Amino acid sequence: MLRDSLRFLYYALSSASPAASPSGCKSLSTLLPDYETPGILPPSARIDRTLKPQGQRPWNLWDMWKYPAFAVGKAACLVRDVVAYNIWGPRRRTWGIQMTIINSLMRDVSRHSALADIAMVRMVMGLAGLVPLPADALVTPITFRVRRRNLRGIIQALDAQETGDRELSGEWIVGKKLWQALQSDHRSTNRHVDEESILVQSTSVDGSTERHCSRVVLYIHGGAYCYSSAAAQRMISIPLSKYTDARVFAINYRLAPETQFPGPLHDVVSAYMRLTDDLQVPSENVVVAGDSAGGGLCLALLLYLRDNDYSMPGGAILFSPWVDLTLSCPSWETNAAYDIVPSPGPDAHLHPVVMYLGDGLQRYLTHPYASPLFGRFEGLPPLLIQCGEAEVLRDEIELLAHKASLAGVYVQHEIYEDAVHVFQSFPFLGLVNAAFASCHDFVSFKLSELQDSSPKLLGDVCEARLGDDIDNDNVRVVRGDGMETCTGRRGVQEHMSHESRDGNDYESELIQLDFRSGEGLGACCDLLSADVGGVVAPSGLRRIKSTLPALVVRQPLVTKINGPYPYSRAPPRLGKTHSYPSITSFVDQFTLSSNDRIMTP
């Protein structure tokens, strides 16, 4: 009893915000009306619409003492949390020492934002490139010119300014196994035929059906619209290519504050049009994916394409999407002590929303292309939405899933126990493999089930152009530790040929590990709806197959045991819900904002 009391007292004092009581929780049906009308802020909005962009603060010599003070304070916080972890257990039930350290370093860092500027933050975030990457993949950096496409809607004026001189960059990511299969297919056809000859040939080639039905993923990185890059998010894009067996094109859109809304949306639309128009990838074969702010841009892209009668992609995968720039949902407070995302400060300095919207803050704050939660979702393709139970965006993501399901959109919403924002980028977490395996099932089975004509056969012109874009002298093999082992088409082919002879298939070992008995999904994923009838998908992931009312989690995702936190770690669990257009949404099934559990009324 004494140990329980001390433990409860420690975490209560060290948390940035107290857990919300059940009586303070609001149901989804109560919160959803606040996001029905663009232009009207929810009553709980945490942003001042009068904030204006600020220039870089002048550096003061007398501020030098604040840097060592910040370092000492963080070191003391880290030591305290590590000691508490070893004495009283983790702050969250399933956290290990790695997650404890990361949370300790990131917690309350926004209070010291005055010590940094945008360049310093980008430099620090760029250190993510030093983190060891997943097993080897092939990466091809590319640069392409943005041409005028006579685009409609909100970006019409930006499109009219294009002269064909501006360039955007990105990179293709292809898993080794897929690259070898594509090379085998290329060798089985005459790759030296010019495009005019290809156009008069039959689009069906014997023995190449599997190649021609492949998917292409347009990946949009996160970073609060101000930071990060496609290369920095390879921790997600490389496994995404391997698990979905798809070629991934990651785009580097222009960042704020240098480029403000709707500039980044224009870049994303240009990248999508390049795939569908220039490379002739059928829109049904394209899956858009993104994390955090990139997830918000994914939804903005879908809404823009629908509103302006452009062809829609086959589906979307959203990792912790940021969909409400008003910061109005309760989890911004209730999960602030656990997530790695720092809450923006009260002023405009380094405030991502102010930097992204600039002088258009009042005009665009609730615009559906900036805050997609305020949009209408009718006509959108199927959505796979993954989020962490302990992240500050959890509530707005749940609102997004429920609002989309009300609009008749197929939604597969997954909440991962104790996971933080974009947890898929932390490979040491056991749930990461389960999350990417779910992406595999969604792309390989669910999309095909929902859309009979998806994916379409890729034409030979499309394959030739994709091959020229990916398999050229810029291609390089990126090793698991982030080092480039070889570059150039010839060097890569020799490397892959040598590895094939040695029988080293790291990718197959990685994927097979997830589905072995007692490992991967079986060990790290306890679906709470186990009492509901289900069917085992070909990958081994237990997929719920029932009517929606029966799919709702009937018990807490995390159950209190002798206080707010258990003593030791336990395998994390996954709460999964599905919606179908013909079934009433699960809008009234959940209440929000309990730190240690998801409650049912």
Short mmCIF file of all heavy atoms in Angstrom, two decimals, residues 495-521:
data_model
loop_
_atom_site.label_atom_id
_atom_site.label_comp_id
_atom_site.label_asym_id
_atom_site.label_seq_id
_atom_site.Cartn_x
_atom_site.Cartn_y
_atom_site.Cartn_z
N HIS A 495 25.65 -5.47 -56.83
CA HIS A 495 25.43 -5.72 -55.40
C HIS A 495 24.28 -6.69 -55.18
O HIS A 495 24.38 -7.64 -54.40
CB HIS A 495 25.17 -4.41 -54.67
CG HIS A 495 24.75 -4.57 -53.24
ND1 HIS A 495 25.65 -4.72 -52.21
CD2 HIS A 495 23.51 -4.63 -52.67
CE1 HIS A 495 24.99 -4.84 -51.08
NE2 HIS A 495 23.69 -4.79 -51.32
N MET A 496 23.15 -6.45 -55.87
CA MET A 496 21.98 -7.29 -55.70
C MET A 496 22.24 -8.69 -56.24
O MET A 496 21.77 -9.68 -55.67
CB MET A 496 20.79 -6.66 -56.41
CG MET A 496 20.38 -5.31 -55.83
SD MET A 496 19.78 -5.42 -54.14
CE MET A 496 18.24 -6.26 -54.41
N SER A 497 22.98 -8.79 -57.34
CA SER A 497 23.30 -10.11 -57.89
C SER A 497 24.17 -10.90 -56.91
O SER A 497 23.95 -12.09 -56.68
CB SER A 497 24.01 -9.96 -59.23
OG SER A 497 24.39 -11.22 -59.74
N HIS A 498 25.15 -10.24 -56.31
CA HIS A 498 26.03 -10.91 -55.35
C HIS A 498 25.25 -11.35 -54.12
O HIS A 498 25.41 -12.46 -53.61
CB HIS A 498 27.16 -9.96 -54.96
CG HIS A 498 28.05 -10.52 -53.88
ND1 HIS A 498 28.97 -11.52 -54.12
CD2 HIS A 498 28.16 -10.21 -52.55
CE1 HIS A 498 29.61 -11.80 -52.99
NE2 HIS A 498 29.13 -11.02 -52.03
N GLU A 499 24.35 -10.48 -53.65
CA GLU A 499 23.55 -10.83 -52.46
C GLU A 499 22.61 -11.98 -52.74
O GLU A 499 22.37 -12.84 -51.90
CB GLU A 499 22.77 -9.60 -51.99
CG GLU A 499 21.97 -9.84 -50.73
CD GLU A 499 21.34 -8.57 -50.22
OE1 GLU A 499 22.08 -7.70 -49.72
OE2 GLU A 499 20.10 -8.44 -50.33
N SER A 500 22.05 -12.00 -53.97
CA SER A 500 21.15 -13.09 -54.34
C SER A 500 21.88 -14.43 -54.36
O SER A 500 21.35 -15.45 -53.92
CB SER A 500 20.52 -12.80 -55.70
OG SER A 500 19.67 -13.84 -56.08
N ARG A 501 23.12 -14.42 -54.84
CA ARG A 501 23.89 -15.66 -54.85
C ARG A 501 24.23 -16.13 -53.45
O ARG A 501 24.28 -17.32 -53.16
CB ARG A 501 25.19 -15.46 -55.65
CG ARG A 501 24.97 -15.33 -57.15
CD ARG A 501 26.28 -15.50 -57.89
NE ARG A 501 27.25 -14.51 -57.46
CZ ARG A 501 27.43 -13.33 -58.06
NH1 ARG A 501 26.66 -13.00 -59.10
NH2 ARG A 501 28.34 -12.49 -57.64
N ASP A 502 24.44 -15.16 -52.53
CA ASP A 502 24.76 -15.52 -51.15
C ASP A 502 23.54 -15.94 -50.37
O ASP A 502 23.66 -16.44 -49.25
CB ASP A 502 25.42 -14.33 -50.44
CG ASP A 502 26.82 -14.07 -50.99
OD1 ASP A 502 27.34 -14.96 -51.68
OD2 ASP A 502 27.37 -12.98 -50.73
N GLY A 503 22.35 -15.68 -50.93
CA GLY A 503 21.12 -16.10 -50.25
C GLY A 503 20.75 -15.23 -49.09
O GLY A 503 20.05 -15.65 -48.18
N ASN A 504 21.21 -13.97 -49.07
CA ASN A 504 20.90 -13.07 -47.98
C ASN A 504 19.67 -12.25 -48.33
O ASN A 504 19.74 -11.31 -49.13
CB ASN A 504 22.07 -12.11 -47.72
CG ASN A 504 23.29 -12.84 -47.23
OD1 ASN A 504 23.17 -13.85 -46.54
ND2 ASN A 504 24.47 -12.35 -47.60
N ASP A 505 18.54 -12.63 -47.84
CA ASP A 505 17.30 -11.90 -48.11
C ASP A 505 16.82 -11.31 -46.79
O ASP A 505 15.98 -11.86 -46.10
CB ASP A 505 16.25 -12.85 -48.69
CG ASP A 505 15.04 -12.10 -49.21
OD1 ASP A 505 14.96 -10.89 -48.97
OD2 ASP A 505 14.20 -12.73 -49.86
N TYR A 506 17.39 -10.17 -46.44
CA TYR A 506 17.05 -9.55 -45.17
C TYR A 506 15.59 -9.16 -45.10
O TYR A 506 14.97 -9.22 -44.05
CB TYR A 506 17.93 -8.30 -44.96
CG TYR A 506 19.40 -8.59 -44.97
CD1 TYR A 506 20.21 -8.17 -46.03
CD2 TYR A 506 19.99 -9.29 -43.93
CE1 TYR A 506 21.57 -8.43 -46.04
CE2 TYR A 506 21.36 -9.56 -43.93
CZ TYR A 506 22.14 -9.12 -45.00
OH TYR A 506 23.48 -9.39 -45.01
N GLU A 507 15.04 -8.74 -46.22
CA GLU A 507 13.65 -8.29 -46.22
C GLU A 507 12.70 -9.43 -45.90
O GLU A 507 11.76 -9.29 -45.12
CB GLU A 507 13.31 -7.67 -47.57
CG GLU A 507 11.92 -7.11 -47.63
CD GLU A 507 11.67 -6.41 -48.95
OE1 GLU A 507 12.64 -6.17 -49.68
OE2 GLU A 507 10.50 -6.14 -49.24
N SER A 508 12.94 -10.61 -46.51
CA SER A 508 12.08 -11.75 -46.23
C SER A 508 12.17 -12.14 -44.77
O SER A 508 11.17 -12.47 -44.13
CB SER A 508 12.46 -12.93 -47.13
OG SER A 508 12.26 -12.61 -48.49
N GLU A 509 13.39 -12.09 -44.21
CA GLU A 509 13.55 -12.41 -42.80
C GLU A 509 12.79 -11.43 -41.93
O GLU A 509 12.17 -11.79 -40.94
CB GLU A 509 15.04 -12.40 -42.44
CG GLU A 509 15.84 -13.50 -43.11
CD GLU A 509 17.33 -13.39 -42.78
OE1 GLU A 509 17.67 -12.52 -41.96
OE2 GLU A 509 18.12 -14.16 -43.33
N LEU A 510 12.81 -10.15 -42.32
CA LEU A 510 12.11 -9.14 -41.54
C LEU A 510 10.62 -9.40 -41.53
O LEU A 510 9.98 -9.36 -40.48
CB LEU A 510 12.39 -7.75 -42.13
CG LEU A 510 11.58 -6.59 -41.55
CD1 LEU A 510 11.99 -6.33 -40.12
CD2 LEU A 510 11.74 -5.35 -42.40
N ILE A 511 10.05 -9.66 -42.70
CA ILE A 511 8.60 -9.85 -42.78
C ILE A 511 8.18 -11.17 -42.15
O ILE A 511 7.18 -11.27 -41.45
CB ILE A 511 8.15 -9.76 -44.24
CG1 ILE A 511 8.44 -8.34 -44.78
CG2 ILE A 511 6.69 -10.09 -44.39
CD1 ILE A 511 8.06 -8.17 -46.23
N GLN A 512 8.97 -12.23 -42.38
CA GLN A 512 8.60 -13.52 -41.83
C GLN A 512 8.62 -13.50 -40.31
O GLN A 512 7.86 -14.19 -39.66
CB GLN A 512 9.54 -14.60 -42.36
CG GLN A 512 9.32 -14.91 -43.84
CD GLN A 512 10.36 -15.87 -44.38
OE1 GLN A 512 11.19 -16.38 -43.63
NE2 GLN A 512 10.33 -16.08 -45.68
N LEU A 513 9.48 -12.68 -39.73
CA LEU A 513 9.59 -12.63 -38.28
C LEU A 513 8.28 -12.23 -37.64
O LEU A 513 7.91 -12.71 -36.58
CB LEU A 513 10.69 -11.63 -37.89
CG LEU A 513 10.87 -11.36 -36.39
CD1 LEU A 513 11.31 -12.64 -35.69
CD2 LEU A 513 11.86 -10.25 -36.15
N ASP A 514 7.54 -11.35 -38.34
CA ASP A 514 6.31 -10.83 -37.77
C ASP A 514 5.22 -11.89 -37.65
O ASP A 514 4.32 -11.76 -36.86
CB ASP A 514 5.78 -9.67 -38.62
CG ASP A 514 6.80 -8.56 -38.75
OD1 ASP A 514 7.55 -8.38 -37.79
OD2 ASP A 514 6.84 -7.92 -39.82
N PHE A 515 5.29 -12.93 -38.49
CA PHE A 515 4.19 -13.87 -38.54
C PHE A 515 4.53 -15.23 -37.97
O PHE A 515 3.80 -16.19 -38.15
CB PHE A 515 3.72 -14.01 -39.99
CG PHE A 515 3.42 -12.69 -40.62
CD1 PHE A 515 4.00 -12.33 -41.83
CD2 PHE A 515 2.58 -11.79 -40.01
CE1 PHE A 515 3.73 -11.11 -42.41
CE2 PHE A 515 2.29 -10.58 -40.58
CZ PHE A 515 2.87 -10.23 -41.78
N ARG A 516 5.69 -15.34 -37.32
CA ARG A 516 6.02 -16.60 -36.68
C ARG A 516 5.16 -16.79 -35.44
O ARG A 516 4.80 -15.84 -34.76
CB ARG A 516 7.50 -16.62 -36.29
CG ARG A 516 8.44 -16.69 -37.49
CD ARG A 516 9.88 -16.55 -37.02
NE ARG A 516 10.78 -16.49 -38.16
CZ ARG A 516 12.05 -16.12 -38.06
NH1 ARG A 516 12.55 -15.78 -36.90
NH2 ARG A 516 12.82 -16.09 -39.13
N SER A 517 4.93 -18.00 -35.13
CA SER A 517 4.11 -18.30 -33.95
C SER A 517 4.81 -17.82 -32.70
O SER A 517 5.97 -18.10 -32.46
CB SER A 517 3.88 -19.81 -33.86
OG SER A 517 3.17 -20.13 -32.70
N GLY A 518 4.06 -17.04 -31.89
CA GLY A 518 4.62 -16.55 -30.64
C GLY A 518 5.43 -15.29 -30.78
O GLY A 518 5.92 -14.77 -29.80
N GLU A 519 5.62 -14.78 -32.00
CA GLU A 519 6.37 -13.56 -32.20
C GLU A 519 5.50 -12.57 -32.98
O GLU A 519 4.42 -12.88 -33.45
CB GLU A 519 7.66 -13.83 -32.97
CG GLU A 519 8.61 -14.76 -32.25
CD GLU A 519 9.91 -14.94 -33.03
OE1 GLU A 519 10.33 -13.99 -33.70
OE2 GLU A 519 10.47 -16.03 -32.98
N GLY A 520 6.04 -11.36 -33.13
CA GLY A 520 5.39 -10.36 -33.97
C GLY A 520 3.97 -10.09 -33.54
O GLY A 520 3.71 -9.73 -32.40
N LEU A 521 3.04 -10.29 -34.44
CA LEU A 521 1.66 -9.94 -34.18
C LEU A 521 1.08 -10.73 -33.01
O LEU A 521 0.35 -10.20 -32.20
CB LEU A 521 0.81 -10.17 -35.42
CG LEU A 521 1.06 -9.24 -36.60
CD1 LEU A 521 0.21 -9.68 -37.77
CD2 LEU A 521 0.75 -7.82 -36.22
#
